[in-house]
Amino acid sequence: MSATQLAALARTVEPQRMLRRFLALDAVVTGVNALAYLALAGPLGRLLGAGSGLLLGLGAFLAVYAAGVALLAARPHPPTLGVRIVVEANLTWTAVSLAALALWLTPTTAGAVWTVLQALTVAGFAVVQHMALRARQFSQD
């Protein structure tokens, strides 16, 4: 992805604003996912082929994670270490999701598709956040 494509996606060429927007979008998407898992664990569990206990646990974890990412996005200048932690956490989530699908989950077809799509979405957040962080670092040099 080029810097121009990244700027178009973020709707700004300002690296600081770009980074904060990608963090905020991550927090919103993660928060919505968390709320869905918490509020609809039973029906979603049946649809996805996952236990409601697993979805409740994931929902609670994701709610805390989304709040942390939102706090980071709200800072005028998110600290580099915090952003790197979010990027690494997103990459870890992607790897664990795909490993779980391959090794121990037995989801429905909808659950398998959902697992892959959410893993790709989270990986996408990691990529754009990393690129925005690099753009911010280059603009400060």
Side-chain angles (χ1 to χ4, degrees):
M1 179 178 290
S2 72
T4 303
Q5 291 169 319
L6 188 65
L9 186 60
R11 297 179 164 243
T12 182
V13 294
E14 184 185 332
Q16 184 66 19
R17 185 171 291 158
M18 188 182 308
L19 179 59
R20 292 180 66 216
R21 284 184 180 175
F22 288 136
L23 289 168
L25 182 60
D26 187 352
V28 168
V29 170
T30 302
V32 168
N33 202 23
L35 290 175
Y37 286 173
L38 290 169
L40 303 168
L44 282 176
R46 287 187 292 280
L47 174 68
L48 302 175
S52 60
L54 173 64
L55 293 183
L56 285 171
L58 288 173
F61 170 78
L62 291 174
V64 171
Y65 182 75
V69 176
L71 287 173
L72 195 61
R75 296 195 55 181
H77 187 84
T80 299
L81 179 60
V83 176
R84 284 186 179 148
I85 289 170
V86 168
V87 169
E88 293 296 324
N90 283 343
L91 292 173
T92 300
W93 179 273
T94 299
V96 169
S97 294
L98 296 175
L101 182 60
L103 300 174
W104 65 83
L105 292 178
T106 54
T108 62
T109 301
V113 169
W114 173 254
T115 301
V116 171
L117 289 177
Q118 64 82 31
L120 292 174
T121 300
V122 173
F125 281 135
V127 168
V128 296
Q129 289 161 349
H130 174 73
M131 291 180 72
L133 180 61
R134 289 193 57 185
R136 181 180 80 177
Q137 290 170 333
F138 287 134
S139 73
Q140 293 173 348
D141 291 341

